[in-house]
Amino acid sequence: MFSLFLFQVLHRRNASSFPLPRQPLPPLAQTMARYLRSLEPLVSLEELEQTQQLVTEFETPGGEGERLQARLERRAARMENWITDWWVQSAYLESRLPLAVHSSPAVVLPKQDFNDWRGQLRFAAKLIAGVLDFKAKIDHQTLLVEYSRGYPLCMDQYARLFASCRLPGPKHDSVLLPPPGRRPPTYITVVRNFQFFQLEVYNSDGTPLTVDQLHWQLQRIRAQSWKTDKEPLGVLTSDHRHTWGQAYTTLMRDKLNRESARAIQRSLFTVCLDAPVLKVSDARASSRLAAQMLHGGGSYSNSGNRWFDKTLQFIIGEDGSFGVLYEQAVAEGPPIATIIDHVLDYCKDPVTVRAPLIPLQLPKKLYFCFTPEIKRDIEHAKQNLDILITDLDISCFTYRGFGKELLKRQQLSPDSVLQVALQLAYYRAHGELCATTESASLRRFHRGRTETIRSTTSAALAFVQSMSDDNCQAPERLSLLKQAVEVHSTLTEQALDGQGIDRHMLGLKLEAIADGFRVPELFMDTSYAVASYWKLSTGQVAARTDCVMCYGPLVPDGYAVCYNPLPAHVNFAVTAFNCCQETNAEHLAGNIQKALDDVGALLGNNGGEGGNREKPS
């Protein structure tokens, strides 16, 4: 869910030792001024005036704002990163919504060229070898430092991707990370027909298993997992976090269950060998594939083949479907995209090493004891997941009118143009703009995570209104479009530079709570609620691979729109909830395509005006 392009360059120093600056704490007056400006297209004049009064009171010398800012400055001076721990806790670990759909993004990758179990296992073997090849770069500290816009990026997230897992708790979750200094795990988990296996992926001399060895071991797993009447234990991890936390406590009372669950949690990553799903029309195929990666298709499909708490899950269907599901408490999208690009390159040309003539131990099947109480928990989780899946409305499409190359040639930021087009599409669908969030990476800074780009601006509102004004001619519309794009580009740079407003305001609010102060009136204001009720959650993960990310909306009456701008086209995934009468994913997808046609026409792209639209699926 990120708005930056990553590329790798070699540097003398390895990724783990590269020095980076601390994330800055923005000045209070700057944040307050930018906050007020962000409200202008979203609230009434009366509401804005009320908020201006609250801001004035908050900024009074010696008042609440000054006191909280001083406390934040002391926090920033003593901590590696003043906001990251608070952000992970509040955005992820304290959230009680299910990880499936609501939190964990899926990356939908191109369908692979096989259609049976033999091809599935052969591809899975190459994929595992490719992931281990990438992990070796982290282990040997040879991973190239990534740069964006000339800045080196923090590489800390990579070390946490492997052998990590989210753990459910009654009030908040926690993250299991491999203990520093200890020998890391040497196995992965593989799940097929709801049955989990522990697969050692290194030889006794420390070398990774070859593709042929992995293929042989996967065949042995297949031979041990024929039965299809097993309890789909994995669906427990898809439930509401409080409910799963209670079920987890019950599950872990038994020694066998404890050992098996710990084996899954501590494994390097998980490979899900999915059964083929029911075929749908070609028009719906891409949306069905996205749903399969996001939630597994339901309790009677492949949802039991998941452990949603696991940081990294690679999903390979017998029908050639392929994707990645990841948990966000540990890492964001760009590192995942980098791994995917590496693994797919590896799969095209895997390293061929002669397999040692050493017999391999049989993959260990992980058994669980299912008490009547646990079986009831599984039944409830199945019902809840199937309701959630039925409620999810998803529409995927590829826009072929133009890609990022055309926009770059016009000296325009591709992401900013797409964000302005999304504002136009939402305005046409709903007759107004709404609070829109886009994530920007803060990896320029040590342990940086994300900042919000507030894409709804007064400049965007002026542009979208001009598109429905018959008295407004194309030259004026083009000028307004370019102004809106420029404003978004400026906001993006501010966010990337650690000068956004949302993490700062979160810090001020949490500082008040942590120190036992009352929450300032500024955060109880109607405008604050409206401007942070993200009806449009957007973002890109720009990968070289022809893929797209998807995840569910942040609010019941909202949308999530993910996109991957490629040189000549853009992949989109749009989601909404069926429970809301006002939202419809396919309707918004159609408006996005029409908005892009119109933007392309203003920019002089002759391919616009309807010739490049693919019916959303």
Side-chain angles (χ1 to χ4, degrees), residues 443-475:
R443 287 173 63 206
R444 287 183 188 178
F445 308 107
H446 179 56
R447 291 194 63 222
R449 291 296 295 260
T450 65
E451 175 60 276
T452 294
I453 303 168
R454 295 188 171 214
S455 299
T456 308
T457 63
S458 296
L461 179 60
F463 166 66
V464 302
Q465 288 175 336
S466 78
M467 293 299 286
S468 58
D469 182 356
D470 293 337
N471 295 320
C472 192
Q473 301 302 309

Short mmCIF file of all heavy atoms in Angstrom, two decimals, residues 443-475:
data_model
loop_
_atom_site.label_atom_id
_atom_site.label_comp_id
_atom_site.label_asym_id
_atom_site.label_seq_id
_atom_site.Cartn_x
_atom_site.Cartn_y
_atom_site.Cartn_z
N ARG A 443 10.75 4.91 5.13
CA ARG A 443 11.98 4.13 5.24
C ARG A 443 13.24 4.96 4.95
O ARG A 443 14.35 4.43 5.02
CB ARG A 443 11.92 2.91 4.31
CG ARG A 443 10.98 1.82 4.83
CD ARG A 443 10.81 0.71 3.84
NE ARG A 443 12.07 0.03 3.59
CZ ARG A 443 12.34 -0.61 2.45
NH1 ARG A 443 11.46 -0.63 1.46
NH2 ARG A 443 13.51 -1.21 2.30
N ARG A 444 13.10 6.25 4.68
CA ARG A 444 14.28 7.13 4.63
C ARG A 444 14.92 7.23 6.02
O ARG A 444 16.07 7.65 6.14
CB ARG A 444 13.88 8.53 4.18
CG ARG A 444 13.53 8.68 2.73
CD ARG A 444 13.24 10.13 2.41
NE ARG A 444 12.73 10.26 1.06
CZ ARG A 444 12.34 11.41 0.51
NH1 ARG A 444 12.43 12.53 1.22
NH2 ARG A 444 11.87 11.45 -0.73
N PHE A 445 14.10 6.89 7.05
CA PHE A 445 14.54 7.07 8.43
C PHE A 445 14.70 5.72 9.12
O PHE A 445 14.05 4.73 8.75
CB PHE A 445 13.53 7.94 9.18
CG PHE A 445 13.23 9.22 8.47
CD1 PHE A 445 12.01 9.41 7.83
CD2 PHE A 445 14.17 10.23 8.39
CE1 PHE A 445 11.73 10.58 7.14
CE2 PHE A 445 13.91 11.41 7.71
CZ PHE A 445 12.69 11.58 7.08
N HIS A 446 15.53 5.70 10.13
CA HIS A 446 15.78 4.47 10.88
C HIS A 446 14.48 3.95 11.49
O HIS A 446 13.78 4.67 12.18
CB HIS A 446 16.81 4.75 11.98
CG HIS A 446 17.12 3.56 12.82
ND1 HIS A 446 17.57 2.37 12.29
CD2 HIS A 446 17.03 3.36 14.17
CE1 HIS A 446 17.75 1.50 13.27
NE2 HIS A 446 17.43 2.08 14.41
N ARG A 447 14.15 2.71 11.16
CA ARG A 447 12.95 2.02 11.63
C ARG A 447 11.66 2.75 11.21
O ARG A 447 10.60 2.58 11.83
CB ARG A 447 12.96 1.84 13.15
CG ARG A 447 14.00 0.84 13.66
CD ARG A 447 13.73 0.46 15.11
NE ARG A 447 12.46 -0.21 15.25
CZ ARG A 447 11.59 0.01 16.23
NH1 ARG A 447 11.84 0.91 17.16
NH2 ARG A 447 10.45 -0.66 16.29
N GLY A 448 11.71 3.51 10.14
CA GLY A 448 10.52 4.20 9.67
C GLY A 448 9.50 3.23 9.08
O GLY A 448 9.87 2.26 8.43
N ARG A 449 8.22 3.52 9.27
CA ARG A 449 7.16 2.69 8.70
C ARG A 449 6.37 3.47 7.65
O ARG A 449 6.78 3.52 6.51
CB ARG A 449 6.24 2.16 9.82
CG ARG A 449 6.89 1.13 10.75
CD ARG A 449 7.28 -0.17 10.03
NE ARG A 449 6.16 -0.91 9.51
CZ ARG A 449 5.59 -1.96 10.09
NH1 ARG A 449 6.03 -2.40 11.25
NH2 ARG A 449 4.58 -2.58 9.52
N THR A 450 5.26 4.09 8.02
CA THR A 450 4.46 4.79 7.01
C THR A 450 3.93 6.12 7.53
O THR A 450 3.84 6.34 8.73
CB THR A 450 3.24 3.96 6.55
OG1 THR A 450 2.35 3.80 7.66
CG2 THR A 450 3.67 2.61 6.03
N GLU A 451 3.57 6.97 6.58
CA GLU A 451 2.84 8.21 6.85
C GLU A 451 1.67 8.26 5.88
O GLU A 451 1.70 7.64 4.82
CB GLU A 451 3.76 9.42 6.68
CG GLU A 451 3.10 10.78 6.81
CD GLU A 451 2.44 11.02 8.16
OE1 GLU A 451 1.28 10.56 8.32
OE2 GLU A 451 3.05 11.64 9.04
N THR A 452 0.66 9.01 6.24
CA THR A 452 -0.53 9.16 5.39
C THR A 452 -0.38 10.35 4.46
O THR A 452 0.03 11.43 4.88
CB THR A 452 -1.79 9.35 6.27
OG1 THR A 452 -2.02 8.16 7.01
CG2 THR A 452 -3.01 9.66 5.42
N ILE A 453 -0.71 10.11 3.18
CA ILE A 453 -0.89 11.21 2.24
C ILE A 453 -2.40 11.44 2.15
O ILE A 453 -3.15 10.52 1.81
CB ILE A 453 -0.35 10.87 0.84
CG1 ILE A 453 1.13 10.49 0.90
CG2 ILE A 453 -0.56 12.05 -0.12
CD1 ILE A 453 1.64 9.86 -0.38
N ARG A 454 -2.85 12.64 2.50
CA ARG A 454 -4.28 12.97 2.40
C ARG A 454 -4.56 13.48 0.99
O ARG A 454 -4.32 14.65 0.68
CB ARG A 454 -4.67 14.00 3.46
CG ARG A 454 -4.53 13.48 4.88
CD ARG A 454 -5.09 14.44 5.89
NE ARG A 454 -5.16 13.85 7.22
CZ ARG A 454 -6.10 14.11 8.12
NH1 ARG A 454 -7.07 14.96 7.83
NH2 ARG A 454 -6.09 13.54 9.31
N SER A 455 -5.07 12.58 0.15
CA SER A 455 -5.20 12.88 -1.28
C SER A 455 -6.35 13.81 -1.62
O SER A 455 -6.42 14.33 -2.74
CB SER A 455 -5.34 11.58 -2.08
OG SER A 455 -4.20 10.77 -1.90
N THR A 456 -7.28 14.00 -0.71
CA THR A 456 -8.41 14.90 -0.95
C THR A 456 -7.96 16.33 -0.64
O THR A 456 -7.73 16.67 0.53
CB THR A 456 -9.61 14.52 -0.08
OG1 THR A 456 -9.89 13.14 -0.25
CG2 THR A 456 -10.83 15.34 -0.46
N THR A 457 -7.85 17.15 -1.67
CA THR A 457 -7.35 18.52 -1.51
C THR A 457 -8.31 19.51 -2.18
O THR A 457 -9.16 19.12 -3.00
CB THR A 457 -5.96 18.67 -2.16
OG1 THR A 457 -6.09 18.43 -3.58
CG2 THR A 457 -4.96 17.69 -1.57
N SER A 458 -8.16 20.77 -1.83
CA SER A 458 -8.98 21.81 -2.47
C SER A 458 -8.70 21.86 -3.96
O SER A 458 -9.60 22.10 -4.78
CB SER A 458 -8.70 23.16 -1.83
OG SER A 458 -9.10 23.15 -0.46
N ALA A 459 -7.44 21.62 -4.35
CA ALA A 459 -7.08 21.61 -5.77
C ALA A 459 -7.76 20.45 -6.50
O ALA A 459 -8.23 20.61 -7.63
CB ALA A 459 -5.56 21.51 -5.92
N ALA A 460 -7.84 19.29 -5.85
CA ALA A 460 -8.53 18.14 -6.46
C ALA A 460 -10.02 18.43 -6.60
O ALA A 460 -10.64 18.10 -7.61
CB ALA A 460 -8.29 16.88 -5.63
N LEU A 461 -10.60 19.08 -5.58
CA LEU A 461 -12.03 19.43 -5.65
C LEU A 461 -12.29 20.39 -6.80
O LEU A 461 -13.27 20.23 -7.55
CB LEU A 461 -12.47 20.05 -4.33
CG LEU A 461 -13.94 20.49 -4.25
CD1 LEU A 461 -14.87 19.31 -4.47
CD2 LEU A 461 -14.23 21.16 -2.90
N ALA A 462 -11.43 21.39 -6.98
CA ALA A 462 -11.61 22.33 -8.08
C ALA A 462 -11.55 21.62 -9.42
O ALA A 462 -12.35 21.91 -10.34
CB ALA A 462 -10.53 23.42 -8.01
N PHE A 463 -10.65 20.66 -9.56
CA PHE A 463 -10.54 19.93 -10.82
C PHE A 463 -11.77 19.07 -11.07
O PHE A 463 -12.35 19.11 -12.17
CB PHE A 463 -9.28 19.04 -10.82
CG PHE A 463 -9.29 18.02 -11.93
CD1 PHE A 463 -9.22 18.43 -13.26
CD2 PHE A 463 -9.42 16.66 -11.65
CE1 PHE A 463 -9.26 17.48 -14.30
CE2 PHE A 463 -9.45 15.72 -12.67
CZ PHE A 463 -9.38 16.14 -14.00
N VAL A 464 -12.21 18.29 -10.08
CA VAL A 464 -13.34 17.38 -10.33
C VAL A 464 -14.62 18.16 -10.61
O VAL A 464 -15.45 17.73 -11.42
CB VAL A 464 -13.53 16.37 -9.17
CG1 VAL A 464 -12.27 15.55 -8.96
CG2 VAL A 464 -13.98 17.03 -7.89
N GLN A 465 -14.77 19.33 -9.96
CA GLN A 465 -15.95 20.15 -10.24
C GLN A 465 -15.90 20.73 -11.66
O GLN A 465 -16.93 20.85 -12.33
CB GLN A 465 -16.06 21.27 -9.21
CG GLN A 465 -16.48 20.78 -7.84
CD GLN A 465 -16.48 21.86 -6.78
OE1 GLN A 465 -15.77 22.87 -6.89
NE2 GLN A 465 -17.27 21.67 -5.72
N SER A 466 -14.69 21.04 -12.13
CA SER A 466 -14.56 21.57 -13.49
C SER A 466 -14.96 20.54 -14.55
O SER A 466 -15.44 20.91 -15.63
CB SER A 466 -13.12 22.02 -13.75
OG SER A 466 -12.26 20.92 -14.02
N MET A 467 -14.82 19.27 -14.23
CA MET A 467 -15.13 18.21 -15.19
C MET A 467 -16.64 18.04 -15.39
O MET A 467 -17.07 17.39 -16.35
CB MET A 467 -14.51 16.89 -14.75
CG MET A 467 -12.98 16.89 -14.78
SD MET A 467 -12.28 17.17 -16.43
CE MET A 467 -12.60 15.60 -17.21
N SER A 468 -17.43 18.61 -14.48
CA SER A 468 -18.89 18.55 -14.66
C SER A 468 -19.47 19.93 -14.98
O SER A 468 -20.69 20.11 -14.99
CB SER A 468 -19.55 17.97 -13.40
OG SER A 468 -19.24 18.74 -12.27
N ASP A 469 -18.60 20.89 -15.20
CA ASP A 469 -19.02 22.25 -15.53
C ASP A 469 -18.93 22.45 -17.04
O ASP A 469 -17.83 22.52 -17.60
CB ASP A 469 -18.12 23.25 -14.79
CG ASP A 469 -18.53 24.70 -15.03
OD1 ASP A 469 -19.46 24.93 -15.84
OD2 ASP A 469 -17.91 25.59 -14.42
N ASP A 470 -20.07 22.54 -17.69
CA ASP A 470 -20.10 22.67 -19.15
C ASP A 470 -19.45 23.96 -19.64
O ASP A 470 -19.04 24.06 -20.81
CB ASP A 470 -21.55 22.61 -19.67
CG ASP A 470 -22.16 21.23 -19.45
OD1 ASP A 470 -21.38 20.25 -19.32
OD2 ASP A 470 -23.40 21.13 -19.37
N ASN A 471 -19.36 24.94 -18.77
CA ASN A 471 -18.76 26.21 -19.17
C ASN A 471 -17.23 26.20 -19.07
O ASN A 471 -16.57 27.15 -19.49
CB ASN A 471 -19.30 27.35 -18.30
CG ASN A 471 -20.79 27.56 -18.51
OD1 ASN A 471 -21.27 27.49 -19.64
ND2 ASN A 471 -21.52 27.80 -17.41
N CYS A 472 -16.70 25.13 -18.52
CA CYS A 472 -15.25 25.03 -18.34
C CYS A 472 -14.65 24.29 -19.54
O CYS A 472 -15.06 23.16 -19.85
CB CYS A 472 -14.94 24.29 -17.04
SG CYS A 472 -13.23 24.41 -16.55
N GLN A 473 -13.71 24.90 -20.22
CA GLN A 473 -13.13 24.32 -21.43
C GLN A 473 -11.89 23.47 -21.09
O GLN A 473 -11.32 23.57 -20.00
CB GLN A 473 -12.75 25.43 -22.41
CG GLN A 473 -13.93 26.29 -22.83
CD GLN A 473 -15.05 25.47 -23.48
OE1 GLN A 473 -14.81 24.69 -24.40
NE2 GLN A 473 -16.27 25.64 -22.98
N ALA A 474 -11.48 22.67 -22.08
CA ALA A 474 -10.38 21.72 -21.88
C ALA A 474 -9.10 22.39 -21.37
O ALA A 474 -8.45 21.85 -20.46
CB ALA A 474 -10.11 20.95 -23.16
N PRO A 475 -8.66 23.54 -21.91
CA PRO A 475 -7.42 24.15 -21.41
C PRO A 475 -7.47 24.47 -19.92
O PRO A 475 -6.51 24.25 -19.19
CB PRO A 475 -7.27 25.42 -22.26
CG PRO A 475 -8.02 25.12 -23.52
CD PRO A 475 -9.19 24.29 -23.09
#
